[in-house]
Each structure stands twice: as C-alpha cells, then as structure tokens.
Amino acid sequence: MSRRSLIAANWKMNHTVAKATEFVVPLRAALPRLTPVDLAIFPSFFCVHALAEALKGTGVAVGAQDLHWETSGATMVLIGHSERRHVMGESNEIVARKLSAALRDGLVPILCVGELLSERDAGNETTVVEKQLETAFHTLAAAVAAGVVIAYEPVWAIGTGRTASPHDAESMHGSVRAWLHGRYGDVADEIRILYGGSVKPDNAAGLIAERNVDGFLIGGASLDPASYIAIAGAAVPR
Ligand code: PEP
C-alpha cells in the first residue's frame, strides 16, 4: 500500500503574523514541485487565521498545536507532543481523551509518541511507545483509528540536533506498524507514521527512504522556508 508523505511544520511559539505571511511567498512558488506530498503547518495560535488566509486554495493544511477535550474546531491538531507530556505533565490518559475529542469533532490528529533517553538506555523504548499507543487507541475502532496520523518523536532527538539514524527510526516505525497490525489488521497499512526529532534538509532523504517513514514532524528546521521546502522536496518520490 502506498501512503502519501506528510511534511508537518511545528512552529511552536515562533514567527509573527508578518513572518508567517512572508513564509508563504517562497512556499507558494515551490508548491508545483511538491504536489506528490501533503504539507501542513502548525503555527502559534496568533498566526492561525492569517496563515490560513494566506494559504487558502493551496491545499496546505493549517493546524493547531494542541486542543482541549471539550468541543473545538480546526482541521488538524497535534496531540501528545513531548513538551505537553513531559513539560506540562500530560498523562497517557489525558492524551487519549484529547485524541477521542479530536476524532469526535472531525479533526485529523497527529498523535505524538516517543521515549526519553533514560528509557532507551534501559532498553525500554518499544514498551514505552506501545503503552502510549495502547492507551491512546484503547477505545478506537478500526474505521476511526484509520483517521489518525502517528508521529514517532524520540524525546532525546527533539531540538537537540541529535537525530535517530534511519535504521533506528525504521526499527521503531516497524514496531509501531506491527502493533497497529496486531490491533487493526490491514487498516494498519493506511496509517501514516511520521518521524520527528532534529529533521534537517541533510538527513531527510535518508530517513524518508525507509519503508515505514511516511513523512516528518519538524520543529526548528520548519521555521525557515528554504529548509522546510528542501525537506518536503526530499519526500517527493523519484
Ligand atoms: C518537534 O518539536 O516536534 C521537533 C521535532 O523539533 P525539532 O525538529 O526541532 O527537533
């Protein structure tokens, strides 16, 4: 089964409205050669409206960086980012409630999972990620689960300049796919699994070449249009 790559930019608290609008100029110019991939930007809340206006009609999705589990509305949303889990103290159970709420309201959630360095050093990375998946997908039927995008983001690789090797990323993505297969059968092949953690233009091609790496969730390198466009370009099938 072939899955379209998704290249998602997580701007966190960066970029003013003026900067966000400027970003769109080179991005629009690059879009004709990026049509084989899906693009999404998660700006700060201040910029959501301006960016959505500037990107109208381009097919580039604009999403929210988080949501509450009560009724809300946007198109895509990040859930369970490591900064929410480890800085704001969100448990697997809170993440699961948010995931259900996003799906209930018709949003496309990007569910972030990933282990701490201490958990990897102890050899527990797969157990940790599987526990995150089990709790998040606990109540979801296959037809609903098919609407989730997963981002594997090892916490030790986020914003550190230290990326997982293509081999290590594929090893975890393969385990996530196998877990999804065990629970949902063939629906597992429809679910995109993105990699996040210090993705840059010079390591994107090696990572995306792996079978189960279906795109990226990018922090720092997504702030510069040239580097975001270069990473998206690496995901265009050759
Ligand atoms: C992130 O914050 O989701 C992320 C992957 O950041 P960076 O690309 O800067 O490591």
Side-chain angles (χ1 to χ4, degrees):
M1 143 135 237
S2 80
R3 294 172 294 270
R4 280 171 66 84
S5 293
L6 170 62
I7 310 300
N10 180 6
W11 287 356
K12 305 190 186 175
M13 292 163 73
N14 296 289
H15 282 343
T16 56
V17 169
K19 272 262 178 216
T21 317
E22 261 171 46
F23 186 101
V24 172
V25 177
L27 181 59
R28 271 184 176 273
L31 286 179
R33 58 193 164 83
L34 300 178
T35 46
V37 298
D38 291 338
L39 303 174
I41 301 180
F42 297 81
S44 71
F45 281 106
F46 295 113
C47 295
V48 170
H49 179 69
L51 195 67
E53 284 296 308
L55 286 169
K56 219 177 227 164
T58 61
V60 179
V62 176
Q65 292 180 21
D66 190 33
L67 88 167
H68 194 268
W69 51 80
E70 299 300 342
T71 308
S72 70
T75 60
M76 295 184 88
V77 66
L78 302 180
I79 296 178
H81 188 273
S82 76
E83 286 159 14
R84 303 291 318 171
R85 290 180 187 269
H86 299 296
V87 182
M88 306 308 285
E90 281 184 14
S91 63
N92 283 342
E93 287 70 25
I94 288 179
V95 170
R97 287 177 73 180
K98 290 185 169 187
L99 183 65
S100 297
L103 291 162
R104 177 198 66 206
D105 290 351
L107 307 182
V108 176
I110 299 187
L111 170 71
C112 304
V113 297
E115 81 285 358
L116 297 165
L117 185 58
S118 54
E119 293 165 335
R120 174 163 283 261
D121 286 345
N124 291 334
E125 66 273 17
T126 311
T127 316
V128 167
V129 169
E130 286 185 354
K131 179 77 194 151
Q132 292 171 340
L133 293 171
E134 261 157 36
T135 314
F137 284 92
H138 180 60
T139 59
L140 304 187
V144 179
V148 179
V149 176
I150 296 172
Y152 168 56
E153 299 208 305
V155 180
W156 46 269
I158 298 178
T160 59
R162 183 178 162 193
T163 330
S165 66
H167 175 271
D168 286 346
E170 177 58 19
S171 160
M172 182 60 84
H173 285 225
S175 300
V176 171
R177 182 90 54 213
W179 184 89
L180 290 168
H181 261 285
R183 188 167 166 97
Y184 295 118
D186 288 349
V187 166
D189 292 323
E190 294 171 31
I191 297 177
R192 290 187 284 198
I193 307 171
L194 315 185
Y195 170 78
S198 297
V199 175
K200 305 270 183 297
D202 61 358
N203 58 27
L207 287 159
I208 201 76
E210 296 293 341
R211 230 178 78 163
N212 287 293
V213 176
D214 305 318
F216 299 120
L217 178 54
I218 316 155
S222 73
L223 297 176
D224 170 39
S227 93
Y228 178 63
I229 290 164
I231 292 168
V236 172
R238 274 150 235 283

